[in-house]
Amino acid sequence: MQDLCGKLSGSAQQLCYQYVGAAKEDAWDAAAAWRRTSPESFACSGIEVECLQEDMLSSKVGSACRPLAEGAQCELGKHCSSGYCRGQRTPSTDDNSSHKQQQQGGEDEGAAAPRSLLAQMVQPVAAWPTATVSVSSGSSARRVPEAFLSTSHEYNRIHDYGDERNVASWAEVFKMLSPSPIIRVGGASQDKMTQVPDDATWKALKLLQQKTNARFILGLPLWPKNAIAMGKQIIAASKKYLGNSVIVYELGNEPEFWPTGLGGYDAKGKWKPGIDAYAKWFDVVARQVNPCNHREDPKFLSGPGWGNVNTQPTSWLARVLYTGKDCYLAETNIHYYPYIDNTTVTPKQLLSQSLQDFGLSKYGEYQRLVEKEKLGVRISETNSLYGGGKVNMSDTLIGGLWVADALFAFARAGAKGFHLHWGIGGHPTGDLGQPNTGVQTNFYYKYKNATYEFKQLQALRVDASKLEKPVPWPSVHAPWYGYLFWTIAAAGKYNSKSDATFVNTKVEDKGKCGANMKVWALRADNGDLRIALINKDDVINCNMKLWIDDKRFCRTASISKLLPGQAGIKSKGNITWQGQTYENAGFTGKIQGSTVVMQIESKQYPKVGKCGFEVPVPASSAALLVAKKATK
């Protein structure tokens, strides 16, 4: 059977290897998936009732089935050719082109082999290309901030998270990220507000804080002429309801996108356009809401909140930085969205290394400027694409893999925080949820002892406005699995602070795996070496050969997997991380199933004087290898 697998290509090859590696009942799933997805190759597999039953009763790796010989008849008028059952067609035309069209169209559910089989893979696959990366376990690069992964939300519906009827479910979500998650509240809603948030909003935030031990970053308006008065009111209300849980206040949001353009008010209250007017107005408002009359006065402001790190010159940040660094600025903040048209972008373009490198190079300019003044840069708003993201891309595993890789990249680059923006979360009508939201806010109404969504009530001709207000509940979307992957890599477990430092890696040989195979390595405070392997390619499977310079890490290691659903990289559901999922979580916000972590054997590489591991990483998936450091 191994020989047959070597002849095949694409998903057919992957399915063949999954069958060979399956044990007991899983052989049934593997055979069924293979027959359904690639009938031309399955017809030459030789899998019949008797040998399939034998495989299902065996715990051994391999198969009792014997593939049909080259040229053997597989169907009436067709014969096996290079592992495929064909008639007059040649092995390199119709089938291969058909497979490519299915991949491009996103309809080939065989692009990812069955999850139950991928989950068992811990040994490299001979037919896959191999990349080699060396890991310097003793080196030290950037320290991961203790709550680097954070979220961002608009003021409009922030109260939904603190609804007393279901705040426990939202607490389940936020507490996965940290024992004290940082929640940014702001965005476009802060500058367009005409009055400060009401008491109901503050009470909801207070309840959420009590249930999650959250810390907050609150946005203050800058565009309105009465920004000073409203800013002071928001600060006073936050101290009343949230005590010391607010770590910083952001002054203004994306000023270059204001309806009036960038600018500010002069001493006579007249609007003036341009960066000079903006910088002066920022300073005027900042000194009023955060006075610095005495050296001991605390600094608690952040700015300027440019709309995108990719588009604004660093000199603009410098204008704000040098005026406020000794008075009111506790940190600086900017936003980051990939610099690409979100109406035409393809998955390959979004996940390309060149696009990420461009953003990192622009970010690096800000980082170097701010480091000179010993202040941090927080990416207080970000996500896979601007404008809420793109349907069927941001809301799939494409978005999840983007999130995971971006977290590593910007933490390594030195950002103080990385706040993934969820917008308003969702709306009772079922509209306005962003595709790139990690956990969308859905709502249910209670009607006749049952629960209904708004559109279901419409179909029943029930007036939802006459019912009790709907209950907001957390609906986990595909990007959230990227959040969880990062959390375990950076903190070792959920509801924990990040406890790791980046160590250096070097690509020794990328083979044919391509630039979208990423490796990030972290050394935990307890000595563990955590190596994240992310395959952002939607077609190319890859074996990762890891060379580690310290043999004490080559005794015991485990591996966890982030796996797609049957739609591969375009999966919206049936995604698993460490064997767990949010399918069938209902309204609870709780991850479902038992954690699956497998052991992996180390290998020796005497020619280079190192030890390490070889890990298969299928297309559209990720893996986390954790190597324990032996004490003797």
Side-chain angles (χ1 to χ4, degrees), residues 34 57 155 157 159 167 210 239 282 320 335 339 406 497 509 542 544 547:
W34 188 358
L57 294 172
Y155 271 107
R157 299 204 63 89
H159 57 272
V167 67
Q210 291 173 339
K239 290 182 177 178
F282 185 100
V320 175
H335 300 174
Y339 194 52
K497 296 180 180 179
D509 180 6
C542 183
M544 288 304 306
W547 290 348

Side-chain angles (χ1 to χ4, degrees), residues 348-349 351-360 515-516 536:
K348 191 171 290 293
Q349 290 171 336
L351 295 175
S352 68
Q353 190 55 40
S354 60
L355 183 62
Q356 185 184 87
D357 287 343
F358 181 80
L360 288 169
N516 273 8
K536 298 187 294 180

Side-chain angles (χ1 to χ4, degrees), residues 191-207:
D191 274 322
K192 67 182 182 182
M193 68 170 58
T194 57
Q195 58 185 11
V196 300
D198 59 17
D199 285 348
T201 297
W202 291 112
K203 289 178 180 178
L205 285 174
K206 180 179 180 179
L207 182 59

Side-chain angles (χ1 to χ4, degrees), residues 424-459:
I424 67 169
H427 192 272
T429 62
D431 298 325
L432 302 179
Q434 295 184 179
N436 58 20
T437 299
V439 182
Q440 181 173 293
T441 308
N442 284 6
F443 296 81
Y444 68 81
Y445 292 79
K446 295 180 179 179
Y447 176 65
K448 290 186 176 181
N449 298 319
T451 59
Y452 295 86
E453 294 182 352
F454 180 80
K455 292 178 181 179
Q456 291 175 318
L457 292 175
Q458 280 187 315

Side-chain angles (χ1 to χ4, degrees), residues 262-547:
L262 188 67
Y265 297 94
D266 65 12
K268 296 181 180 180
K270 186 176 181 180
W271 179 263
K272 298 290 184 180
I275 181 62
D276 288 341
Y278 165 80
K280 291 177 182 177
W281 175 239
F282 185 100
D283 186 62
V284 167
V285 176
R287 289 179 184 272
Q288 288 296 313
V289 299
N290 187 179
C292 53
N293 300 320
H294 307 285
R295 180 176 296 180
E296 63 273 15
D297 288 342
K299 297 186 237 181
F300 53 71
L301 292 184
S302 178
W306 299 139
N308 201 332
V309 64
N310 293 303
T311 56
Q312 306 307 323
T314 54
S315 61
W316 286 15
L317 175 63
R319 288 293 305 275
V320 175
L321 174 65
Y322 294 140
T323 305
K325 64 184 177 65
D326 295 324
C327 182
Y328 45 75
L329 279 182
E331 63 182 39
T332 62
N333 74 295
I334 52 178
H335 300 174
Y336 167 70
Y337 290 93
Y339 194 52
I340 197 165
D341 187 344
N342 74 343
T343 62
T344 61
V345 63
T346 66
K348 191 171 290 293
Q349 290 171 336
L350 178 60
L351 295 175
S352 68
Q353 190 55 40
S354 60
L355 183 62
Q356 185 184 87
D357 287 343
F358 181 80
L360 288 169
S361 67
K362 292 293 185 179
Y363 171 79
E365 298 173 11
Y366 286 87
Q367 181 72 30
R368 288 188 290 274
L369 174 65
V370 173
E371 279 186 337
K372 292 179 181 178
E373 305 302 328
K374 298 182 179 180
L375 287 178
V377 184
R378 182 181 298 276
I379 298 178
S380 60
E381 184 179 313
T382 183
N383 224 313
S384 58
L385 288 168
Y386 62 87
K390 185 174 182 178
V391 175
N392 296 325
M393 187 176 299
S394 300
D395 53 354
T396 69
L397 190 57
I398 297 166
L401 295 177
W402 182 92
V403 163
D405 191 36
L407 282 162
F408 285 101
F410 282 89
R412 182 68 174 79
K416 189 172 184 178
F418 200 73
H419 292 251
L420 290 149
H421 193 52
W422 295 1
I424 67 169
H427 192 272
T429 62
D431 298 325
L432 302 179
Q434 295 184 179
N436 58 20
T437 299
V439 182
Q440 181 173 293
T441 308
N442 284 6
F443 296 81
Y444 68 81
Y445 292 79
K446 295 180 179 179
Y447 176 65
K448 290 186 176 181
N449 298 319
T451 59
Y452 295 86
E453 294 182 352
F454 180 80
K455 292 178 181 179
Q456 291 175 318
L457 292 175
Q458 280 187 315
L460 295 173
R461 300 182 181 275
V462 175
D463 186 353
S465 66
K466 295 182 179 179
L467 303 178
E468 179 185 351
K469 70 177 184 177
V471 179
W473 60 275
S475 175
V476 168
H477 286 200
W480 181 252
Y481 291 92
Y483 295 43
L484 300 185
F485 181 83
W486 158 265
T487 299
I488 297 299
K493 58 183 178 180
Y494 300 127
N495 194 30
S496 297
K497 296 180 180 179
S498 298
D499 65 346
T501 300
F502 280 93
V503 299
N504 295 327
T505 62
K506 179 183 177 183
V507 178
E508 303 288 350
D509 180 6
K510 67 179 181 180
K512 295 182 179 180
C513 289
N516 273 8
M517 183 68 232
K518 300 294 290 294
V519 180
W520 300 99
L522 298 165
R523 185 181 62 248
D525 291 343
N526 67 358
D528 288 357
L529 192 61
R530 303 178 189 142
I531 304 176
L533 311 170
I534 306 174
N535 190 346
K536 298 187 294 180
D537 199 287
D538 63 339
V539 176
I540 301 175
N541 304 306
C542 183
N543 296 316
M544 288 304 306
K545 183 183 293 184
L546 303 170
W547 290 348

Side-chain angles (χ1 to χ4, degrees), residues 15-79:
L15 290 163
C16 180
Y17 279 119
Q18 301 323 308
Y19 181 82
V20 173
K24 295 191 175 181
E25 290 84 359
D26 287 332
W28 172 275
D29 295 330
W34 188 358
R35 183 175 183 274
R36 179 181 67 249
T37 306
S38 180
E40 296 90 348
S41 62
F42 183 83
C44 294
S45 68
I47 297 177
E48 301 287 350
V49 173
E50 291 79 10
C51 66
L52 175 57
Q53 290 178 337
E54 186 174 343
D55 287 348
M56 292 173 63
L57 294 172
S58 174
S59 60
K60 296 179 180 180
V61 175
S63 174
C65 299
R66 294 293 176 262
L68 301 186
E70 183 76 3
Q73 182 174 327
C74 47
E75 294 180 14
L76 184 63
K78 294 184 179 181
H79 299 81

